[in-house]
């Protein structure tokens, strides 16, 4: 699991002072890149050295409570599903002790050498991405 922290900015809110919903998708994207960095595979390095990216296939977010200007938020991210070429990353938005939103992103491990093509996620990366519950069951 990885954690991404930020503070809600004025420009993230609507006229009522509540966070405008598309920002949750922006923050999930940022949290995904933080997650990859925490694994030791920053997106910029993957692309620069191996022409690998993780384009978004699907995203969803369920809102349980509002966020406001200057709220401090932690996004906890963890792989929920790990397939051959695709992974699903679950994100929980937490303010204090309250989960204010939950969402996920489905992404493909993709080569951008020439025409983009999904590739199998390398074993060393799969091992780091694998949810801890699966790792303990495999021992």
């Amino acid at each position: 699991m990885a954690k991404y922290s930020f503070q809600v900015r004025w420009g993230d809110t609507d006229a009522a002072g509540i966070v405008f919903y598309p920002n949750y998708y922006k923050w999930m994207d940022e949290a995904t890149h933080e997650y990859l960095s925490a694994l030791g595979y920053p997106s910029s390095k993957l692309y620069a050295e191996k022409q690998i990216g993780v384009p978004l296939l699907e995203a969803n977010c369920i809102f349980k409570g509002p966020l406001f200007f200057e709220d401090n938020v932690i996004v906890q991210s963890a792989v929920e599903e790990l397939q051959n070429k695709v992974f699903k990353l679950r994100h929980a938005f937490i303010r204090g002790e309250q989960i204010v939103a939950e969402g996920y992103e489905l992404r493909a491990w993709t080569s951008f050498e020439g025409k983009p093509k999904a590739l199998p996620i390398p074993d060393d990366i799969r091992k780091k991405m694998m949810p801890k519950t699966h790792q303990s069951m495999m021992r």
Side-chain angles (χ1 to χ4, degrees), residues 3-48:
K3 293 182 181 183
Y4 170 59
S5 303
F6 64 93
Q7 186 177 54
V8 174
R9 301 293 177 209
W10 179 254
D12 297 328
T13 64
D14 59 18
I18 299 170
V19 166
F20 186 46
Y21 78 90
N23 288 303
Y24 289 87
Y25 292 91
K26 172 185 77 171
W27 294 324
M28 285 194 294
D29 182 66
E30 291 171 1
T32 294
H33 296 290
E34 289 291 323
Y35 174 83
L36 291 171
S37 290
L39 291 181
Y41 302 97
S43 298
S44 58
K45 186 176 178 181
L46 279 173
Y47 192 80

Side-chain angles (χ1 to χ4, degrees), residues 66-122:
L67 285 174
F68 302 97
F69 175 55
E70 294 184 335
D71 278 350
N72 292 307
V73 183
I74 295 172
V75 181
Q76 291 182 344
S77 304
V79 169
E80 183 176 76
E81 293 178 25
L82 187 56
Q83 299 172 18
N84 186 37
K85 300 176 183 179
V86 175
F87 63 99
K88 184 176 188 178
L89 201 56
R90 173 75 50 192
H91 304 283
F93 291 80
I94 302 166
R95 178 189 55 218
E97 299 294 316
Q98 179 187 13
I99 295 176
V100 295
E102 291 181 297
Y104 71 85
E105 294 177 309
L106 189 65
R107 292 182 174 261
W109 194 264
T110 304
S111 170
F112 286 90
E113 272 188 308
K115 185 178 177 183
K117 180 181 178 179
L119 299 176
I121 300 167

